[in-house]
Amino acid sequence: MAPLHLTFACGDYDRTRALAEGTVRADGIDLTYLRLPVEETFFRMLRHREFEVAEMSLSSYVLSLRADPAPFVALPVFTSRMFRHSSLYCHADAGIASPEDLRGKTVGTPEYQLTACVWMRGVLGDRHGVPFDSVRHVTGGQETAGRIEKARVDLPETVRISAAPEGRTLSAMLAEGEIDALVTPRVPSPFAAGDPRVRRVFPDVVAAEKEYYAATGIFPVMHVVVIRRDVYERHPWVAQSLYKALLTAKGQAYANLYDTSALRFMLPWLTPQLEEARALLGEDYWSYGVAGNHTTLATFLRYHHEQGLSDRLWSPEELFAPESLESAVI
């Protein structure tokens, strides 16, 4: 029998590269791996369902569960994880000396529902006394005007939100003081260019993120892998097959990263930084599955619900294909 041909749209990551290169193969599947920017992958999958399998924003996936039937089924594979204290920027003259000073300010966000922004709003509320409804939100394109939400959002009236003026970008508005702060997954261009008008709210982000992890045990999940529901319902076995292959690919990436014969990436202190990450976060610091990530996922789902994005509070187990939550044992 010929293998099932599936197209997988995903970023270019060390943890998935073995699938892209074909050195790891999913049982029974002939996989075409498309290396695409995350914004393009999410837009094309959410709007047009173009791929059988795709990386997807955790927030967008949870939003998609409102449909009946839901269009996607997820695997507990976290292609992107990232602490997001580094994603919070402010105007130098906005009177923001600490995160607590964000109360009452105007904060830009490319899309309200972006996973990174959901996480940062939750962290600010839980740990810095800045509830999501204590600021005014402005949405729009960060570097190109006119960006809109990829997924439909129905927000409560307590959320004060408006669109950026026509033709204006959030980066320019931040640099010119038209917004006080910006939370965004991508580094805004004024900051990247060294513009002194823009700085990070957390000046020592590494220290802030280590302190956050020590206090919470949370290494935030950004993206999951989803299977289009029609594919999953016709071939439910693909969930376990893909999950096993993605676990194997991640294992290879772990091993390659710790190969000190020649550095895999252009980071001079890659090896000691890897050893420090293991010491702080554990050997399997980029873990897949629900069991080792229950607190992280439950916290995100609470934030999603509290911020008006989910009409009910989901449990972590409800997010994923049942076949990916257990496996045979000999």
Side-chain angles (χ1 to χ4, degrees), residues 259-308:
D259 179 359
T260 59
S261 62
L263 291 176
R264 287 264 169 170
F265 300 99
M266 294 183 293
L267 291 171
W269 295 282
L270 174 63
T271 300
Q273 288 173 346
L274 172 59
E275 292 169 344
E276 182 185 23
R278 287 176 167 176
L280 290 173
L281 282 69
E283 287 293 314
D284 190 14
Y285 57 87
W286 203 290
S287 62
Y288 292 169
V290 170
N293 292 286
H294 200 277
T295 297
T296 296
L297 293 166
T299 300
F300 177 82
L301 292 169
R302 173 171 64 85
Y303 291 163
H304 205 264
H305 182 55
E306 288 174 349
Q307 293 172 28

Side-chain angles (χ1 to χ4, degrees), residues 106-112 136-142 144-149 153 155 159-171 173 178-179 182:
T106 299
V107 181
T109 175
E111 296 179 40
Y112 185 81
R136 186 171 72 87
H137 307 277
V138 175
T139 62
Q142 179 175 312
T144 304
R147 181 169 177 171
I148 60 172
E149 302 276 357
V153 295
L155 299 174
V159 179
R160 294 176 295 159
I161 190 167
S162 60
E166 185 176 355
R168 299 293 288 156
T169 67
L170 295 178
S171 283
M173 292 176 72
E178 297 172 47
I179 55 177
L182 173 64

Side-chain angles (χ1 to χ4, degrees), residues 102-104 121 124-126 128-135 137 160:
L102 286 163
R103 284 185 72 101
R121 288 193 294 265
L124 288 170
D126 274 1
H128 299 283
V130 186
F132 71 95
D133 55 1
S134 69
V135 306
H137 307 277
R160 294 176 295 159

Side-chain angles (χ1 to χ4, degrees), residues 91-92 171 175-176 189-199:
H91 189 273
S171 283
E176 294 171 21
S189 55
F191 183 87
D195 190 327
R197 296 175 296 174
V198 176
R199 61 175 178 82

Side-chain angles (χ1 to χ4, degrees), residues 209-232:
E209 291 169 353
K210 287 180 179 178
E211 188 277 330
Y212 170 77
Y213 181 80
T216 65
I218 292 172
F219 181 16
V221 167
M222 296 291 141
H223 304 165
V224 294
V225 169
V226 300
I227 305 167
R228 216 172 55 210
R229 179 168 290 278
D230 62 299
V231 175
Y232 170 74

Side-chain angles (χ1 to χ4, degrees), residues 55-199:
E55 177 180 23
M56 183 170 286
S57 151
L58 175 58
S59 177
S60 297
Y61 172 64
V62 176
L63 277 170
S64 78
L65 297 176
R66 295 176 305 183
D68 187 19
F72 312 112
V73 177
L75 303 176
V77 169
F78 311 125
T79 48
S80 176
R81 307 183 74 135
M82 190 170 177
F83 295 103
R84 284 300 184 184
H85 294 67
S86 63
S87 299
L88 186 60
Y89 302 84
C90 67
H91 189 273
D93 295 328
I96 300 171
S98 70
E100 289 74 11
D101 293 329
L102 286 163
R103 284 185 72 101
K105 300 294 188 181
T106 299
V107 181
T109 175
E111 296 179 40
Y112 185 81
Q113 64 90 29
L114 291 185
T115 304
C117 301
V118 175
W119 270 116
M120 204 61 241
R121 288 193 294 265
V123 170
L124 288 170
D126 274 1
R127 298 179 56 78
H128 299 283
V130 186
F132 71 95
D133 55 1
S134 69
V135 306
R136 186 171 72 87
H137 307 277
V138 175
T139 62
Q142 179 175 312
E143 307 298 339
T144 304
R147 181 169 177 171
I148 60 172
E149 302 276 357
K150 288 186 290 294
R152 183 177 61 87
V153 295
D154 297 310
L155 299 174
E157 293 181 359
T158 55
V159 179
R160 294 176 295 159
I161 190 167
S162 60
E166 185 176 355
R168 299 293 288 156
T169 67
L170 295 178
S171 283
M173 292 176 72
L174 180 65
E176 294 171 21
E178 297 172 47
I179 55 177
D180 301 305
L182 173 64
V183 57
T184 172
R186 290 188 178 271
V187 177
S189 55
F191 183 87
D195 190 327
R197 296 175 296 174
V198 176
R199 61 175 178 82

